[in-house]
Amino acid sequence: VKKAKYELHYWPSIQGRGEFVRLALEAAGAEYADVARLPPSKGGGAAKLVALLGSAANAVAPFAPPVLRVGRLALAQTANILLYLGPRLNLVPDDEASRFTAHQHQLTIMDAVVEAHDTHHPISAGLYYEDQREPALARTRGFVDERIPKFLRYFERVVTDNSGKSKTPYSVGRSRSYVDLSLFQLVSGLKYAFPKAMKHYRRAIPKLEALSERVREEDRVAAYLESERRVPFNEDGIFRRYPELDLAPGRKTSRRKS
Ligand SMILES: N[C@@H](CCC(=O)N[C@@H](CS)C(=O)NCC(=O)O)C(=O)O
């Protein structure tokens, strides 16, 4: 089997954090292998990923997937992987200020991802959702009422500010970057998991909506989304559609007392 230049190692049955890396590789038309999704006969499977995580052969042990292997490098942390891939796949502007700005935005997106995850796992990632349903509901109340709008309004502002300066529809610089791809994924995931809230908030984020649609319609992205390589959203991933957590925004923003 011909070795791909980039090897993505991520859980095979969920989009999860790996999806931010998959989208970057796909949108750039990069030659890559989604290793754990290959059959064991081709050196794939989840067991391969578990073996990689525990392997003493890594120069630096990764804490958790996604892991990107490029030659002898094994990089972890989603935002770090994108920091690496950005210039190599032409997914970020050339200048240093733009690269750090893109990384800053990606870190904020990953913060939003943690909070989305914690709606169904508020007590521990080591417990089943079924064992933390009550706190999950309380956590989701706050996420839907306060945190979703806070993140979305922030990114609406980012896109508005940058598009005003650059006369383009993008979040960083003058071209489509990995941040735009990740914003598409964040908005798509929130719509999947929290359709009621997102129906309410989408009116407040016209620039972000337009940017997401633009990404979705890119030739390579559209082809990818239609393909078997795209794992469907499901209730094992980060964005889960549990009817009991699909809350309509309701409460007035309650400010903390101290
Ligand atoms: N901040 C890391 C988080 C990585 C992470 O939490 N990965 C999840 C899967 S999406 C995992 O396997 N976690 C295992 C654990 O935390 O024990 C990143 O952005 O890559």
Side-chain angles (χ1 to χ4, degrees), residues 10-11 14-18 53 63-66 76-81 110 114 117 125 238:
Y10 192 68
W11 304 116
I14 60 171
Q15 292 184 10
R17 289 178 176 86
L53 292 173
F63 174 73
Q77 289 286 0
T78 312
N80 187 46
I81 292 170
M110 301 323 291
V114 172
H117 169 272
I238 287 170

Side-chain angles (χ1 to χ4, degrees), residues 8-13 34-52:
L8 171 64
H9 295 260
Y10 192 68
W11 304 116
S13 55
D34 197 344
V35 179
R37 300 204 71 214
L38 295 172
S41 62
K42 289 192 176 166
K48 184 82 190 277
L49 173 57
V50 174
L52 171 88

Side-chain angles (χ1 to χ4, degrees), residues 187-195 233-235 239-241:
V187 169
S188 304
L190 290 173
K191 283 182 179 170
Y192 174 76
F194 304 104
F233 280 114
N234 61 47
E235 280 53 60
F239 298 106
R240 303 187 185 185
R241 183 176 291 179

Side-chain angles (χ1 to χ4, degrees), residues 120-124 126-136 242:
H120 48 81
H121 281 76
I123 302 295
S124 172
L127 293 174
Y128 290 109
Y129 163 63
E130 286 70 21
D131 296 328
Q132 45 191 322
R133 287 177 66 151
E134 267 187 46
Y242 290 130

